[in-house]
Amino acid sequence: MQNSLVKLRTKSPLYGQLVIGPPGAGKTSYCHKMQKFLEKIGRKATVVNLDPANDNMEYTSAVDIMQLITVQDAMEQFALGPNGALIYCVEFLETNFQWLLDQLKSIDSNYFIFDCPGQVELFTHNNALKNIFAKLEQLGYHLCTVHLVESHYCAEPYKFISCLLLSLHTMLQMGLPHVNVLSKADQLKDHEAKLPFNVDFYTEVLDLSYLLECMETSSFGKKFTQLNAAIVSMVEDYSLVSFLLLDSSRDNSLLRLKNAIDKANGYVYGAGEEKNINTLLACAVGAETESDRMEHDIDPYLS
């Protein structure tokens, strides 16, 4: 391991984003579209599939855990259910970390997008993924967690509260630079009538006492008033959770998210890519005003 550490540090810096989130959040689609977008601005990005049940990949993975083990293998060999088999596979990858490291070292790339499994327990309670990425960090990889949750949850206060709690728990568990994302932002148009507040209330996670008032208007909300208040208080006390909107079909949206990730994992401070015209234009976007950001990021979904 020490020899590997020395070798990696003699090369150019290595960067990566760990794409996590519950099933249906759009992780695999995001990995594919972000890879294509990065290629358009001149950055070579490699997608790594760490989901042993991902049989519907939109991208071509340079490294695939399914070459090491699959959920189906674990289910058949150990008589496990799908969830237990998925946990077994990720823990098996942790045990065989050298296999993953050898695969990564064989690739001529310094930027990786890790497509992670969607089982929530793997990034809130189980330590296997956390330990795998901690080892990569020790070996010189500069990583950032990109946590996707579906944006339509904003339309229902109870679900949004659960998203806040999930995001906070994930941030504390993973212990890495972190970017929370409300994915499928184009769906907000379909739920506009149900949103009691402007979209920036949800992205910036503003005064959540107003959200509590919305929940207290229903009999269900009154029953759990104290529990909801305790959750909200904890989220506000940590003051860590905020979200970026993502519509992966729009380059502007991908660009803003890329800029945030580059700051989080340190890519923007490293040698980075060649300063061509595309990257210069990308940097210019960071200087836009708040009103411009609202116009480009939010108005298209709520017009």
Side-chain angles (χ1 to χ4, degrees), residues 179-191:
V179 177
N180 290 307
V181 179
L182 291 173
S183 64
K184 304 180 182 180
D186 54 302
Q187 294 182 0
L188 286 175
K189 279 187 177 180
D190 300 330
H191 299 275

Side-chain angles (χ1 to χ4, degrees), residues 191-241:
H191 299 275
E192 179 180 2
K194 297 180 181 179
L195 293 177
F197 308 106
N198 293 332
V199 176
D200 59 335
F201 175 89
Y202 302 96
T203 56
E204 303 301 327
V205 188
L206 301 175
D207 191 346
L208 295 179
S209 62
Y210 294 109
L211 201 63
L212 286 174
E213 292 176 7
C214 291
M215 291 188 285
E216 288 172 359
T217 59
S218 68
S219 58
F220 184 81
K222 292 178 181 178
K223 183 177 181 180
F224 296 99
T225 297
Q226 290 184 328
L227 176 60
N228 292 330
I231 294 174
V232 163
S233 176
M234 180 174 61
V235 171
E236 291 185 326
D237 285 348
Y238 276 97
S239 191
L240 291 174
V241 183

Side-chain angles (χ1 to χ4, degrees), residues 13-277:
L14 299 165
Y15 300 92
Q17 46 180 292
L18 323 174
V19 184
I20 64 175
K27 298 184 295 299
T28 295
S29 178
Y30 164 79
C31 291
H32 173 64
K33 292 181 178 179
M34 178 57 81
Q35 180 191 34
K36 295 299 182 184
F37 176 77
L38 292 176
E39 289 176 354
K40 285 200 290 187
I41 64 171
R43 182 186 308 182
K44 182 180 179 181
T46 300
V47 180
V48 177
N49 176 45
L50 295 185
D51 184 353
N54 191 355
D55 55 3
N56 189 29
M57 288 180 281
E58 299 180 34
Y59 52 78
T60 299
S61 59
V63 180
D64 188 356
I65 187 178
M66 296 180 74
Q67 295 177 350
L68 177 69
I69 189 172
T70 68
V71 164
Q72 191 64 34
D73 293 336
M75 291 175 65
E76 292 175 358
Q77 186 171 354
F78 301 105
L80 296 171
N83 289 340
L86 186 54
I87 292 174
Y88 176 86
C89 289
V90 176
E91 291 178 346
F92 186 79
L93 178 63
E94 180 188 5
T95 303
N96 292 273
F97 174 78
Q98 189 62 44
W99 174 88
L100 175 61
L101 185 60
D102 290 341
Q103 295 286 315
L104 295 175
K105 289 167 61 178
S106 68
I107 299 170
D108 181 22
S109 176
N110 74 328
Y111 196 96
F112 299 89
I113 302 174
F114 296 88
D115 187 5
C116 299
Q119 188 173 354
V120 172
E121 294 92 329
L122 291 172
F123 45 88
T124 59
H125 294 81
N126 188 279
N127 287 326
L129 281 178
K130 175 182 178 180
N131 294 339
I132 289 169
F133 294 130
K135 291 177 182 178
L136 287 177
E137 274 213 311
Q138 293 172 5
L139 292 169
Y141 287 76
H142 303 275
L143 303 174
C144 167
T145 301
V146 182
H147 184 209
L148 274 60
V149 295
E150 294 182 73
S151 60
H152 68 78
Y153 290 142
C154 296
E156 300 183 50
Y158 304 104
K159 291 184 178 180
F160 185 65
I161 287 290
S162 70
C163 288
L164 291 173
L165 188 58
L166 173 63
S167 299
L168 176 60
H169 194 169
T170 301
M171 295 175 78
L172 297 176
Q173 169 71 6
M174 296 300 289
L176 291 170
H178 198 101
V179 177
N180 290 307
V181 179
L182 291 173
S183 64
K184 304 180 182 180
D186 54 302
Q187 294 182 0
L188 286 175
K189 279 187 177 180
D190 300 330
H191 299 275
E192 179 180 2
K194 297 180 181 179
L195 293 177
F197 308 106
N198 293 332
V199 176
D200 59 335
F201 175 89
Y202 302 96
T203 56
E204 303 301 327
V205 188
L206 301 175
D207 191 346
L208 295 179
S209 62
Y210 294 109
L211 201 63
L212 286 174
E213 292 176 7
C214 291
M215 291 188 285
E216 288 172 359
T217 59
S218 68
S219 58
F220 184 81
K222 292 178 181 178
K223 183 177 181 180
F224 296 99
T225 297
Q226 290 184 328
L227 176 60
N228 292 330
I231 294 174
V232 163
S233 176
M234 180 174 61
V235 171
E236 291 185 326
D237 285 348
Y238 276 97
S239 191
L240 291 174
V241 183
S242 62
F243 296 95
L244 293 175
L245 285 174
L246 172 66
D247 178 354
S248 59
S249 66
R250 301 176 66 241
D251 282 354
N252 279 347
S253 186
L254 289 168
L255 178 58
R256 287 170 178 79
L257 181 54
K258 177 208 74 81
N259 288 345
I261 295 169
D262 284 352
K263 291 178 182 178
N265 65 15
Y267 188 91
V268 71
Y269 306 110
E273 62 239 8
E274 180 183 354
K275 293 296 182 181
N276 55 35
I277 185 64

